[in-house]
Amino acid sequence: MDAAVNDILIVGAGPVGAVCALALQQQGVAARVLEAQPEDARADTRTLALAHGSRLILERLGVWGRLADVTPITRIHISQRGTLGVARLTADELGVPALGYVLSYAELTAALKQALRESAIAVEYGVAVERIEPGSASATLHAADGRVLNAPLVVVADGGRGEAAPEPKFEHDYEQMAVVCEVRTELPHAGQAFERFTPEGPAALLPHGEGYALVWTANDADAKRIAALPDGEFLAALYRHFGGRQGLFLQASPRKTFPLRLAYVGSEAADHVVRIGNAAQTLHPVAGQGFNIGLRDAWELASLCGDTDSGGIGGAAMLRDYARGRRVDVIGGVGFTDFLVRVFSNDVAPLRHARGLGLLALEVLPPLKAFVARRMMFGARG
Ligand SMILES: Cc1cc2nc3c(=O)[nH]c(=O)nc-3n(C[C@H](O)[C@H](O)[C@H](O)COP(=O)(O)OP(=O)(O)OC[C@H]3O[C@@H](n4cnc5c(N)ncnc54)[C@H](O)[C@@H]3O)c2cc1C
């Protein structure tokens, strides 16, 4: 069955697709969402650190107030194993209520689904999109249930998981995996996050509820081995890896692993089709940038659609403006993250010393600190 729709079609009701639909509605632009998973699908166990700027967007969409289990980060401690050189960032010195906020991906997606349900936005769950064809006047979308839909704009927010994703313009397999779980420590977190760089890969402890969310990256074989350790051995290995700043590690929830890679596809797919969020760029989680950038993609795209007259939505001029507007933030985030992983994930002595100096500089130079913190909190502007 073929159908022409005037609504924008969004592929994927993950956090980026859902935010895009809600933001478009706020702009008075109608959208429909197709999501491959059933509505009651369980979200995975990853934890997200949201930047202060992301909170502001979620507040404007009325989603922030629905999130019950959010832990503010008021201090960040950055170190590298085996050398001196530590940098500390605090919310107070930067004059913001928090440097970021930690919450589970599952809670965020549940709150967004609830907001979608309460809005007039049509969301079809359990409908996978198989193919999207750009066209000169509209794009054509082929759903797995046999429907063929035409729309002035198809927004691909499928997390880069769709079968027909274009070849990335830039790709790097870090051959690392993230081991993710919740841990309890002897000392309370008091709002402090830790980012620790080691030659095997970065690790982060993010304050979450009464304990910490752990993201421990290592090469593929080590990550699988670490994740499979019995609790006692896992906690001892974590203590050796992280050090004793938080006392002993007392408890860990079941571990889950995620493969890590960088894939930059870019937003400029073709006429009447645009890619946002992880569908456009998938990043290493070291700096907690992926969703924050995707959220800004969704927000900026919706704002631009609101500012464009209906005949121009999805046209070449609008999509060029969108790509131009997002370039600095996205390339900056991709480059910054890739730089951190590559420069810190090795044990070359001159680099080790340079990194120590870098952390020292970050610690003692307030303008540099403010620059890095602003970038983490709000992204970069063109
Ligand atoms: C371990 C780990 C830790 C992370 N930590 C952070 C962090 O601290 N901060 C941060 O900002 N980011 C973090 N990220 C990145 C963040 O999780 C992603 O950037 C974010 O989830 C991307 O959202 P998305 O909506 O683009 O994609 P997804 O979350 O992948 O959602 C895509 C949606 O599209 C649906 N879909 C897929 N294919 C189709 C199809 N063919 N048809 C219809 N629907 C489809 C899927 O079912 C899904 O619901 C982390 C990632 C990992 C792996």
Side-chain angles (χ1 to χ4, degrees), residues 141-273:
L141 177 156
H142 299 258
D145 61 8
R147 275 179 302 161
V148 180
L149 303 171
N150 286 301
L153 179 61
V154 174
V155 179
V156 185
D158 66 359
R161 306 182 200 192
E163 298 283 305
E167 279 294 301
K169 293 195 179 98
F170 183 73
E171 193 174 17
H172 182 72
D173 185 348
Y174 295 109
E175 295 174 359
Q176 288 182 351
M177 280 184 156
V179 179
V180 171
C181 68
E182 300 270 332
V183 294
R184 291 290 179 108
T185 53
E186 212 173 0
L187 301 176
H189 59 61
Q192 176 155 239
F194 292 90
E195 181 87 50
R196 186 145 174 85
F197 292 96
T198 76
E200 301 87 46
L205 281 176
L206 304 171
H208 188 217
E210 297 293 303
Y212 275 105
L214 169 72
V215 184
W216 181 352
T217 60
N219 69 49
D220 291 350
D222 280 348
K224 284 184 192 150
R225 184 183 52 74
I226 290 164
L229 289 173
D231 282 3
E233 289 177 40
F234 176 78
L235 294 167
L238 183 57
Y239 184 85
R240 286 194 298 277
H241 194 71
F242 237 100
R245 286 191 178 83
Q246 283 305 108
L248 293 173
F249 289 92
L250 303 175
Q251 258 178 35
S253 65
R255 275 69 76 192
K256 176 134 180 32
T257 55
F258 294 85
L260 302 178
R261 71 184 192 117
L262 164 70
Y264 173 69
V265 176
S267 61
E268 310 108 299
D271 269 359
H272 302 280
V273 181

Side-chain angles (χ1 to χ4, degrees), residues 170 262 264 281 283 293 329-339:
F170 183 73
L262 164 70
Y264 173 69
Q281 63 276 327
L283 277 66
I293 293 177
D329 187 21
V330 171
I331 303 277
V334 169
F336 177 60
T337 300
D338 191 48
F339 168 81

Side-chain angles (χ1 to χ4, degrees), residues 12 15-16 35-37 46 49 105 129 158-159 161 278 288 290-292:
V16 171
E35 163 60 47
Q37 302 283 329
R46 81 184 74 165
Y105 177 85
V129 171
D158 66 359
R161 306 182 200 192
N278 271 33
F291 172 63
N292 290 297

